[in-house]
Amino acid sequence: MSVATLRLLEHVHGHLGWLCVAALAHPALVLRDPARRARLSALLSTLFTALTFALGAGIYGPFSRDGARHALYVASQRHGLLFERKEHLAVGVLALAVAGCLTHLFAYDRARPARARFAHRAFACSAGLALVVATLGTLVAAFKSW
Amino acid sequence: MSERKVEPTRTRATHLAHLALSLAAGACVVAIAYAFTRLVQAWVYPSPDPRTVTHVAHVAFYWRLAQSAWVGGLGAIGASALFARAPERAERALPALALATALAITLQGVLVP
């Protein structure tokens, strides 16, 4: 893959990341009320998060293998570590979104409020972590790209 | 005439909910396992300074993802057994599991990037 393509994918990934924050905030806010349903919101925000994660994971390989990671660390170790933090937290974003989505879509039961509470907390934590991930990603991308 | 023992009825929706909750718990285990794997990697097999490494053959991030996905699968099986034995207790623990997941990955990300 050419450097221009990787740079383009990186920009797309960054923009999708910020859209993920907004998408995940919706179920996180709506599901505060255990009686509310937000099936489409839960499903679409999770699919969107999975797509963004897959794109980021896809470009992480060339980033590590082709010397871009090395160049980032040489330019600033602090930014290199911020990048690593972002990758770790992104795993939490996806895992919690998937957990919240599965629970809300297939296990919702008005008589069992613990399930609704779990779905809400999962989406709320996912949205919070996504905000941190998007901020860190923007900081690093603004400092150094491919 | 012997009486037949009647099993409690489990509908398709109940089965689906059971499966969904098990997979949801498994997803949380994936993130916790990822954090744990990174901690073990950092303490037991510390990686070299990235400034001294220009090219790598294996990307550690992918390996951690694969390992934690495997552990998450085991976690889903364990959660399924737990939901079958003590559904009320297992469900009560779910909201805490979401917080524990977020806490584990955040602490690992901050302390061991």
Side-chain angles (χ1 to χ4, degrees):
Chain A
M1 215 180 292
S2 71
V3 171
T5 310
L6 287 169
R7 195 175 289 146
L8 174 70
L9 290 176
E10 182 206 358
H11 288 187
V12 171
H13 172 65
H15 285 88
L16 289 179
W18 277 107
L19 289 174
C20 267
V21 177
L24 287 168
H26 187 256
L29 291 173
V30 169
L31 297 181
R32 271 182 310 172
D33 178 1
R36 283 282 299 271
R37 299 304 311 271
R39 278 175 282 219
L40 200 61
S41 170
L43 178 67
L44 291 180
S45 59
T46 305
L47 287 177
F48 203 68
T49 306
L51 174 75
T52 309
F53 183 87
L55 184 58
I59 57 176
Y60 188 88
F63 177 80
S64 284
R65 282 193 212 103
D66 303 341
R69 183 167 177 261
H70 166 77
L72 174 63
Y73 268 93
V74 168
S76 165
Q77 191 176 11
R78 199 165 138 253
H79 285 85
L81 291 173
L82 283 182
F83 182 80
E84 300 295 339
R85 286 194 173 97
K86 173 188 111 66
E87 295 305 319
H88 302 318
L89 295 181
V91 176
V93 172
L94 180 63
L96 286 166
V98 168
C101 180
L102 284 170
T103 306
H104 187 67
L105 288 187
F106 302 111
Y108 178 81
D109 187 343
R110 196 181 279 264
R112 294 169 184 269
R115 295 182 186 181
R117 214 163 45 244
F118 173 58
H120 169 247
R121 276 192 193 171
F123 274 117
C125 291
S126 181
L129 287 174
L131 179 64
V132 177
V133 170
T135 306
L136 294 181
T138 306
L139 283 174
V140 175
F143 174 73
K144 189 162 175 55
S145 182
W146 254 288
Chain B
M1 205 167 120
S2 65
E3 281 183 26
R4 280 178 64 189
K5 198 174 177 181
V6 179
E7 290 282 324
T9 313
R10 293 197 69 184
T11 62
R12 189 166 167 265
T14 314
H15 280 296
L16 193 62
H18 179 104
L19 180 67
L21 289 174
S22 306
L23 290 174
C28 290
V29 173
V30 169
I32 294 170
Y34 179 92
F36 184 73
T37 309
R38 176 67 189 123
L39 287 176
V40 170
Q41 187 194 357
W43 284 335
V44 183
Y45 311 104
S47 49
D49 186 344
R51 288 171 293 186
T52 62
V53 181
T54 54
H55 296 274
V56 292
H58 300 285
V59 181
F61 177 63
Y62 290 165
W63 284 94
R64 280 196 300 273
L65 278 182
Q67 285 169 348
S68 51
W70 185 78
V71 176
L74 293 181
I77 293 169
S80 177
L82 205 61
F83 281 116
R85 276 170 191 256
E88 301 292 333
R89 278 178 61 192
E91 278 186 29
R92 273 204 305 275
L94 280 175
L97 180 64
L99 289 181
T101 305
L103 190 67
I105 202 79
T106 304
L107 282 176
Q108 177 267 308
V110 170
L111 299 175
V112 190

